[in-house]
């Protein structure tokens, strides 16, 4: 049997090219549809809500004082009752006392590192238990939960924006996260990545009538959904947000949701490429390990319920890392032009990707940030490749904390 190696190489090359063509088209399509998204205006005002702001605070630094101050100084309208609950982890008593000087809140102090699996998931499940069992929280009986990270400083109108959107009776409102400051190409890369998620995974999905992908914090959700979703989280999953969204997709089909570009929380974006690498390891691990865990359930549910939303999310989770995608597509085109007969696959892929990028950077006004990223793109690519190679046993059931130095 004679093997025609040139033909075999060409066949393999075309398969790889087709894979990237599909995702280049997906880039363009989601960014195009997402660019038309406009968040709805409030139609009426809600019944009296009771909001519980939840802050899982693992080893918080001085930024946490600013977080508490922003909540204290920017209260919601009088029609809303609100309390703040903090779960301190790896925090000393002196720091907690200093926090109390900023504002009054309910709290617990507990460690979860002695429990198997994702410590952050254990922390969230503990919070759900407290909501339903703690006397003060039971008496307050919140209608909605607002989840914030320990470095999320809310905009002055954050609660008012949520209140206005609640007039449309949304069960889930995902806010937008912006960086506190721009330091270098690493910070800009983190911002661009988050903005891409906003357009491709939030604006696009809501425009299609689907649930937006969660950003991990900065969202308001009905207490019932929060508790049921958190209690179903896979403790071996290295993340939380995709895990939680999938549990809602699989168990509910009547969630009314929106993404709000004007409901803003500001957060610390890392300027350290090593911290960025650890962060990306967690994100890549969550994406692909979540896909492996829920692939069959999502596909079967999409078929039985005829919901394209679930298949779309499977396709989205199957995508290559975007930085790798940006490197591979022009590389494939160059290889094709140099070694093979010209084919339309890689040319189309390059054109789709280019159109999507131009549309995105123009729509989000991120051209300056993109040029900052371009200066250190090789270093970022190497960092991301290293992050991908670390996925495996060390990320299964392990929440990778990405701590920044307290400046």
């Amino acid at each position: 049997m004679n093997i025609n190696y040139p033909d075999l190489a060409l066949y393999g090359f075309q398969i790889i090219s087709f894979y990237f063509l599909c995702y280049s088209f997906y880039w363009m399509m989601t960014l195009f549809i997402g660019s038309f998204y406009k968040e709805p205006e409030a139609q009426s005002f809600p019944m009296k809500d009771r909001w519980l702001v939840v802050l899982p605070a693992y080893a918080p630094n001085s930024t946490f004082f600013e977080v508490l101050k922003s909540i204290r100084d920017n209260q919601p309208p009088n029609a809303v009752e609100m309390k703040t609950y903090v779960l301190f982890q790896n925090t000393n008593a002196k720091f907690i006392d200093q926090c109390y000087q900023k504002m009054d809140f309910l709290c617990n102090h507990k460690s979860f590192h002695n429990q198997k699996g994702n410590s952050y998931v254990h922390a969230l499940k503990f919070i759900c238990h407290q909501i339903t069992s703690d006397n003060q929280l039971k008496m307050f009986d919140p209608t909605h939960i607002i989840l914030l990270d320990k470095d999320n400083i809310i905009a002055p109108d954050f609660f008012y924006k949520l209140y206005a959107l609640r007039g449309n009776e949304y069960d889930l409102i995902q806010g937008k996260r912006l960086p506190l400051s721009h330091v270098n190409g690493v910070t800009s890369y983190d911002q661009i990545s988050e903005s891409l998620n906003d357009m491709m995974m939030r604006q696009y999905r809501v425009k299609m009538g689907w649930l937006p992908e969660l950003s991990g914090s900065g969202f308001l959700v009905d207490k019932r959904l929060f508790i049921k979703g958190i209690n179903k989280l896979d403790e071996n999953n290295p993340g939380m947000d995709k895990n939680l969204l999938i549990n809602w997709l699989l168990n509910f089909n009547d969630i009314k949701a929106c993404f709000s570009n004007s409901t803003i929380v500001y957060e610390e974006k890392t300027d350290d490429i090593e911290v960025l690498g650890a962060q990306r390891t967690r994100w890549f691990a969550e994406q692909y390990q979540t896909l492996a865990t829920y692939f069959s359930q999502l596909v079967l549910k999409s078929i039985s319920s005829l919901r394209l939303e679930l298949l779309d999310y499977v396709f989205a989770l199957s995508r290559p890392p975007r930085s790798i995608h940006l490197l591979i597509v022009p590389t494939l085109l160059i290889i094709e032009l140099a070694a093979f007969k010209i084919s339309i696959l890689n040319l189309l892929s390059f054109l789709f990707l280019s159109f999507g990028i131009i549309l995105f950077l123009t729509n989000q006004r991120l051209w300056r940030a993109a040029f900052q990223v371009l200066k250190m793109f090789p270093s970022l690519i190497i960092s991301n490749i290293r992050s991908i190679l670390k996925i495996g046993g060390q990320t299964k059931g392990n929440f990778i904390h990405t701590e920044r130095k307290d400046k």
Side-chain angles (χ1 to χ4, degrees), residues 39-294:
E39 65 180 84
E41 296 180 0
Q43 300 299 317
S44 61
F45 290 101
M47 299 294 288
K48 192 173 183 180
D49 281 355
R50 295 179 302 280
W51 295 349
L52 182 67
V53 178
V54 169
L55 287 155
Y58 178 88
N61 61 21
S62 60
T63 301
F64 193 65
F65 299 144
E66 298 302 315
V67 174
L68 294 175
K69 185 175 182 296
S70 71
I71 296 170
R72 182 197 68 194
D73 295 346
N74 302 295
Q75 292 290 301
N78 292 331
V80 176
E81 292 182 60
M82 191 178 80
K83 289 187 182 293
T84 300
Y85 172 84
V86 181
L87 177 58
F88 288 106
Q89 303 157 68
N90 288 40
T91 313
N92 60 55
K94 181 181 178 181
F95 185 90
I96 296 174
D97 288 340
Q98 291 174 321
C99 290
Y100 271 122
Q101 295 173 16
K102 303 296 178 183
M103 67 173 286
D104 188 31
F105 53 84
L106 303 172
C107 81
N108 287 102
H109 186 203
K110 190 174 176 63
S111 176
F112 300 93
H113 284 291
N114 59 343
Q115 300 183 34
K116 291 183 179 179
N118 186 328
S119 60
Y120 185 54
V121 170
H122 283 296
L124 291 172
K125 290 186 176 183
F126 175 82
I127 290 170
C128 288
H129 177 264
Q130 291 300 106
I131 290 172
T132 56
S133 64
D134 179 84
N135 287 334
Q136 288 180 283
L137 291 174
K138 281 175 66 178
M139 287 180 61
F140 179 59
D141 189 23
T143 59
H144 296 82
I145 307 298
I146 298 173
L147 184 65
L148 296 176
D149 279 345
K150 64 182 181 182
D151 63 352
N152 286 167
I153 297 174
I154 65 168
D157 60 354
F158 177 77
F159 292 128
Y160 272 82
K161 292 287 187 180
L162 288 177
Y163 179 73
L165 288 169
R166 274 285 298 134
N168 296 304
E169 299 183 335
Y170 287 113
D171 303 304
L172 169 67
I173 303 169
Q174 173 64 66
K176 184 180 181 68
R177 302 198 299 187
L178 291 176
L180 278 170
S181 60
H182 298 269
V183 179
N184 58 14
V186 175
T187 311
S188 296
Y189 174 74
D190 212 2
Q191 181 197 6
I192 287 174
S193 180
E194 187 74 38
S195 296
L196 271 170
N197 284 333
D198 285 343
M199 281 192 73
M200 295 177 71
M201 304 302 296
R202 297 180 188 114
Q203 293 179 197
Y204 156 70
R205 288 180 61 82
V206 175
K207 185 68 177 176
M208 295 293 290
W210 303 334
L211 292 186
E213 185 174 73
L214 302 176
S215 64
S217 69
F219 63 81
L220 174 146
V221 65
D222 182 277
K223 180 185 72 173
R224 171 185 64 103
L225 290 174
F226 183 78
I227 292 176
K228 286 189 176 181
I230 294 296
N231 285 332
K232 286 181 175 292
L233 288 181
D234 177 9
E235 293 168 2
N236 286 321
N237 191 291
M240 180 279 285
D241 45 325
K242 292 178 174 62
N243 194 352
L244 181 57
L245 176 63
I246 286 176
N247 275 295
W248 286 341
L249 289 173
L250 291 174
N251 294 287
F252 301 93
N253 56 13
D254 58 347
I255 301 174
K256 188 175 181 180
C258 79
F259 168 68
S260 174
N261 268 311
S262 63
T263 306
I264 296 170
V265 295
Y266 297 96
E267 63 177 354
E268 287 185 307
K269 292 291 187 184
T270 183
D271 56 0
D272 186 331
I273 198 165
E274 291 185 9
V275 174
L276 179 74
Q279 182 189 74
R280 287 300 185 268
T281 296
R282 185 179 74 223
W283 289 4
F284 293 148
E286 183 187 9
Q287 177 181 337
Y288 297 120
Q289 289 178 205
T290 299
L291 176 66
T293 300
Y294 291 104

Side-chain angles (χ1 to χ4, degrees), residues 16-25 320 325 328-329 332 349:
I16 295 170
S17 299
F18 182 73
Y19 170 79
F20 281 97
L21 172 64
C22 290
Y23 281 100
S24 292
F25 179 76
H325 191 134
I328 293 295
V329 167
L332 289 175
S349 184

Side-chain angles (χ1 to χ4, degrees), residues 329-353:
V329 167
T331 301
L332 289 175
L333 181 59
I334 292 170
I335 292 173
E336 184 177 64
L337 292 173
F340 301 107
K341 294 179 180 179
I342 294 177
S343 166
I344 198 69
L345 291 181
N346 290 303
L347 180 59
L348 277 176
S349 184
F350 182 78
L351 292 174
F352 289 155
L353 189 60

